[in-house]
Every structure is written in structure tokens, then in C-alpha cells.
Amino acid sequence: MSPFVEENLHSLLSIHDPRLYFSKITQLAQAIGFEYCAYGARMPFPLSAPRTEMVNNYPAAWQQCYSEHQYITQDPTVAHGSRSMVPLVWSDELFADARELWEDARSYGLRNGWAQGCRDGNGVVGMMTVARSGEPITAVELGEKEPLLAYLTQVTHVGMSRFFLEHSSYGQEVKLTPRETEILRWTAEGKTSAEIGDILNIAERTVNFHVNSTLAKLNAANKTSAVVQAALRGLL
DNA sequence: CATGATCGGTTCTCACGACA
DNA sequence: TGTCGTGAGAACCGATCATG
């Protein structure tokens, strides 16, 4: 672990205020040459309309512009970050289908940037972006700083998603009994209650009882929802 | 006493096939 | 194409028993 990482890891994890936490992240980003940084997270629930949270230190005018134009729906870095963990450097080619967004960003001083997606066992998908108005990011610089940027992404994701989850019902810990977990696993495999009863050598009613118990714990409307939620929470 | 496991009866929902 | 009947599966309510 580099001195950079070692010096900041413990101090970051002890911070319990989201604003202060992100402020520290921006300081770290600036220390490695990026004046701007942004972090966005998409919560796994509700599946029909996943909640998105964003924090950044971009110019206020650019934040307003981005929001007004709903650029998030066409931002190629967001699309990339939601499906890939591969680092991405901003380029003309990247924004070929979002020229207006690209030109607006540059006009607000966001000229060179680097983004990386990340995800965790809770099903939260995050994306970290660092950017600057100055010189382009060279291959040499990227090679030198990539480990630090990857670390910064992970630390930001762990810390900030924790704050986001604190204020949602999804963030509340759910504990399933071993029997409940076992039955949900078979349910996820498409087995009916009767089939699971045969497999586990218990009555179908008993299987249903445990399924109902998981519905209550997961606040799920039905068995299908319970299985999906349990899977996304990493309980299976 | 709290928790987990087991079981029974009943009702509801929904997919599917038959039929006009 | 729309309606209706049927059956499988799901959901709900209740209870007892074992264990730490």
C-alpha cells in the first residue's frame, strides 16, 4: 500500500458526515492533479425506478445545466460505468453521440476526465469521475495514477454508498435463517413449494411458512419479489 | 420466554384451454 | 377475439413443538 493510500485510509473510514467525507475525497483528487471529482450511485431498489444519488464539486452553473438538459440520460460515461468496471478517459470519440453535452461540459471547464464504475455486494452501482480544465491525461499519467484512482473510487463508493443506504429501508440489515435461505435458493431455481418440500423432506406448508417469513423480513409483496431482493442483497 | 421449525385448513390469483 | 371454467400454485391465518 502506498503512503498516499495508507495516510488517508483510516482517517476516511472514521468520518461519519457525508459532506465532510466527500470534501476529503475532493482533496485527495486534487492532490493527484484533478480539480473536480464526482460520484454517483444507483440504488438497486425500487427496480422499476432505481434511486440515483450524486455528489460533486463541479461549477454550480454546470450542475444546473446538466440537470436542466437531463444530460444523465445521454451521458456516455454514465452508461459505461453502469455496465463496466474498465476505466474510461474522456475523448471526442466517446462523446460522438452527445456533442451538445460534450461542448457544454468543455465550456464550463470540464475538458479532461477519467471515470470508473464500481459495484458491491449490496447491488449498489457507483461511478467515480475526476476531471480538470488543464492539460490532457496522457497514457503515462494514466499508468502512474490508475492504481490511486481505482483506490479512490473504491473508498468513495464504500463511504458514500454507506451514507445513501442509511436513509433508505433497503439499507436496513435483513437476516434470514438458514432454512429460509435454503428455501429461497430453491425458489430462485424455479422449484415450487411442493418440490422444495420433497427436496428438503418437509411439508409443502412448512415451505410456505418460511417463504412467508422472508416476505415479511424483506417487505416483499410476493415470492418473486422476495427472491429478487434476496439475490440482490447477496443473501443467497 | 424468544426463536425457529413444523404442520393444517382455507382462500385467492393467475395461466391455460375450451368454446361461442 | 373475448369470456368462462378449471386446476396449480401462492398467500394467509392459525396452531404446536423443540431448543437455548
Side-chain angles (χ1 to χ4, degrees):
Chain A
M1 192 177 281
S2 75
F4 172 85
V5 171
E6 204 162 16
E7 280 173 19
N8 292 289
L9 181 60
H10 294 296
S11 61
L12 275 172
L13 293 178
S14 65
I15 295 173
H16 297 288
D17 176 73
R19 288 186 181 181
L20 187 60
Y21 193 95
F22 189 70
S23 171
K24 188 72 176 175
I25 294 296
T26 61
Q27 288 174 25
L28 290 173
Q30 285 163 3
I32 56 176
F34 295 93
E35 62 200 282
Y36 300 118
C37 74
Y39 170 74
R42 190 183 67 205
M43 304 296 122
F45 290 104
L47 282 169
S48 56
R51 188 164 60 90
T52 300
E53 302 279 358
M54 293 181 69
V55 288
N56 61 68
N57 68 338
Y58 291 154
W62 166 238
Q63 292 185 43
Q64 188 178 349
C65 176
Y66 192 90
S67 174
E68 283 177 356
H69 289 82
Q70 295 188 314
Y71 278 149
I72 193 171
T73 62
Q74 53 181 291
D75 192 333
T77 65
V78 172
H80 175 86
S82 66
R83 65 173 187 273
S84 173
M85 303 299 108
V86 177
L88 187 70
V89 177
W90 295 358
S91 67
D92 286 331
E93 294 75 25
L94 176 65
F95 289 91
D97 294 327
R99 301 309 302 178
E100 190 181 354
L101 160 62
W102 184 224
E103 294 304 325
D104 279 347
R106 292 171 70 84
S107 72
Y108 285 102
L110 296 158
R111 297 176 175 277
N112 299 292
W114 172 95
Q116 179 161 4
C118 54
R119 62 189 67 214
D120 57 35
N122 290 323
V124 180
V125 176
M127 194 185 75
M128 179 78 182
T129 300
V130 292
R132 65 187 178 211
S133 56
E135 68 272 18
I137 303 169
T138 65
V140 173
E141 181 187 9
L142 195 61
E144 289 174 353
K145 295 180 178 175
E146 194 167 328
L148 291 177
L149 291 168
Y151 158 75
L152 193 60
T153 299
Q154 289 301 322
V155 168
T156 305
H157 182 63
V158 169
M160 296 306 296
S161 65
R162 171 189 56 173
F163 297 129
F164 296 152
L165 287 173
E166 270 178 5
H167 302 292
S168 72
S169 59
Y170 178 70
Q172 293 167 8
E173 186 180 8
V174 174
K175 286 186 177 177
L176 300 180
T177 66
R179 204 55 155 171
E180 289 166 349
T181 303
E182 193 173 25
I183 286 170
L184 272 194
R185 281 189 187 134
W186 283 114
T187 302
E189 292 286 349
K191 302 295 184 187
T192 66
S193 297
E195 288 172 331
I196 296 171
D198 287 341
I199 291 168
L200 301 179
N201 217 14
I202 58 177
E204 178 184 353
R205 274 92 177 167
T206 304
V207 174
N208 285 333
F209 171 84
H210 292 298
V211 170
N212 288 335
S213 178
T214 64
L215 298 189
K217 287 182 178 180
L218 292 163
N219 194 28
N222 54 39
K223 197 157 81 168
T224 305
S225 176
V227 168
V228 171
Q229 288 200 44
L232 283 173
R233 286 171 180 269
L235 298 175
L236 303 185

